[in-house]
Amino acid sequence: MSKRTVRITHVPSNVLIAEGPLGWSMTPFEGNWYISGKALRTDAFCTTALPGLCPYKFIYLWLDFDPGGGKPPTKRLGWRYVVPNPLFPFIAFRVAVPGSHPELRIEIEES
């Protein structure tokens, strides 16, 4: 049985955002990626005071991504559910990023 590893990179800065096995660590859902703490490879996400509401996943906060090194930050590159729906444990308190954002490269490698 093959194992799949997911790697998410911020293209403008070449910062590795996350890397881990497909599944509980790196979970795709509705075109987005939910990243466990073990798979997160950067501390460049900054929580904003901008809340959001999903009718069935509940309340989240937007996250800006600041790669440092003189590179400009990317506003609202991710989010984190801070009051999550308990029916979706794989989204709770995890950093999430959109799977189709033009500044992200998502690679899935089979091994």
Side-chain angles (χ1 to χ4, degrees):
M1 178 173 229
S2 67
K3 178 180 163 188
R4 291 192 267 178
T5 299
V6 180
R7 185 176 301 110
I8 301 175
T9 305
H10 182 248
V11 175
S13 65
N14 204 34
V15 170
L16 180 63
I17 291 175
E19 183 175 39
L22 181 64
W24 190 254
S25 289
M26 302 287 290
T27 307
F29 184 63
E30 297 183 325
N32 305 310
W33 287 93
Y34 291 85
I35 305 163
S36 74
K38 284 177 80 173
L40 196 62
R41 299 289 187 257
T42 182
D43 60 358
F45 282 101
C46 307
T47 304
T48 70
L50 295 171
L53 175 66
C54 173
Y56 64 95
K57 290 186 277 187
F58 302 150
I59 299 170
Y60 60 90
L61 291 175
W62 284 107
L63 304 174
D64 291 344
F65 184 78
D66 186 356
K71 305 275 187 205
T74 301
K75 300 291 186 185
R76 293 178 300 281
L77 181 62
W79 60 92
R80 182 187 317 262
Y81 280 90
V82 293
V83 181
N85 182 333
L87 297 175
F88 299 106
F90 56 88
I91 70 166
F93 312 108
R94 294 176 174 220
V95 169
V97 295
S100 61
H101 196 284
E103 291 189 14
L104 297 177
R105 179 174 58 244
I106 299 168
E107 303 166 286
I108 302 174
E109 181 181 289
E110 298 257 353
S111 59

